[in-house]
Amino acid sequence: KIRLRLAIGTQRKDFQLTFIEPWFLGRKLAFSADLFYRELLYYSDIYDVVNGGARITLTRTLWNVVWRGSVGYAIENVGIVDMPSAVTIPGPDGQPVVVDPVPPEIRVEEGYYLESKVTSTLSYDTRNSVLLPNRGQHTTLRGTIAGGPLGGDTDYYKLELESNHYFRGVFPGHVIEVMAQVGVADNYGFDTDVRLFDRFFLGGLYSLRGYEYRSVGPYDSTGQEPIGGRTFWYGSVEYSVPIIERFRIAAFYDIGNVFPEAYSFETTGPDYGQYTDNWGIGVRLNIARMGPLRLDYAIPLSHDPFVDGDGRFQFSVGYTRDY
């Protein structure tokens, strides 16, 4: 299989070329190779993210059809770029004063970094449908290690566990979806920090739907920009009901948080709560020849003062959310 994706917009430029050989070397082993380049302008108002590189992955079923494992290697050049420059203005005593509009925690991340990393996943999938399951689970354990003997400018590792469970509801056609995630990232070797682009963030259509994308978690010392964290947890429950064929409504509740230190669920001060949550309602519409679409409206509940507390619409594709 060969797949080419090219997307050009005002907030994102995305190029990806993928090659897949499902029977590599005549074995039941899938080999995939990717070349990609992305310009992401929606992460922040004061910096852009540029990401280009290559990735190869081997995937196969393990003991039986519900177990699947993969291992891959990627090399990427990641840039935090296009930050506004500092300006010099006269001070109260007439002496020049340098004013930087970029918080110091963000400014120190400016530049390009080469990442060389290995990622391995183990998944367990017993869902009775990939479109609209009402029984089974999909659980994935993922580990990533970068730097060290692999080279590159970053030395860190990540461990992430995510699990989605599906149940039949009270009446026929009703579906209960329960999701949970937890993850940790930490540095090792000569690197003294986990870089901004490797930290965890929450917020947006794939996690806390009542908040802006990547807006939940630790902020810089000025309260201006989210800077992510090394530990996170997230949970969600959703109940959906069929109204007519191809049309469903749903009610949901999301909760979670991001924390600055690895292996710690402690916040940094009194302004930060132990959790952030929201509730909401949504519609699920299965359009012929297009597939299912989802529109959610979520209302924030408990959150930090740095986060916008207004309700928010989120639009995506599919009956269930892919992470």
Side-chain angles (χ1 to χ4, degrees), residues 78-218:
V78 185
I80 307 295
V81 297
D82 296 334
M83 295 184 187
S85 301
V87 296
T88 301
I89 62 174
D93 56 357
Q95 296 299 316
V97 176
V98 177
V99 178
D100 193 346
V102 179
E105 296 90 341
I106 302 295
R107 178 66 75 184
V108 73
E109 299 285 343
E110 187 175 17
Y112 284 88
Y113 299 87
L114 183 67
E115 278 204 350
S116 178
K117 59 186 178 181
V118 171
T119 299
S120 181
T121 63
L122 176 66
S123 65
Y124 178 72
D125 190 354
T126 61
R127 293 172 296 175
N128 61 343
S129 170
V130 295
L131 180 64
L132 182 61
N134 61 10
R135 187 178 70 251
Q137 65 168 295
H138 186 198
T139 299
T140 301
L141 175 64
R142 180 180 298 108
T144 301
I145 185 167
L150 300 173
D153 300 323
T154 59
D155 298 324
Y156 74 92
Y157 67 90
K158 275 186 178 180
L159 296 172
E160 299 172 76
L161 176 65
E162 55 191 58
S163 187
N164 303 342
H165 293 254
Y166 304 91
F167 309 92
R168 293 187 176 92
V170 178
F171 298 103
H174 292 203
V175 177
I176 302 172
E177 182 180 6
V178 180
M179 295 166 280
Q181 290 180 281
V182 64
V184 63
D186 202 4
N187 60 284
Y188 72 95
F190 295 104
D191 205 345
T192 59
D193 195 10
V194 178
R195 298 295 173 181
L196 180 68
F197 44 81
D198 293 315
R199 299 174 197 159
F200 297 113
F201 297 80
L202 288 179
L205 62 93
Y206 295 119
S207 57
L208 292 163
R209 285 168 275 187
Y211 304 92
E212 293 183 359
Y213 180 61
R214 292 166 59 95
S215 67
V216 176

Side-chain angles (χ1 to χ4, degrees), residues 39-55:
E39 294 181 12
L40 308 174
L41 312 183
Y42 57 88
Y43 275 21
S44 170
D45 293 331
I46 62 174
Y47 67 86
D48 298 330
V49 176
V50 178
N51 181 15
R55 176 174 52 243

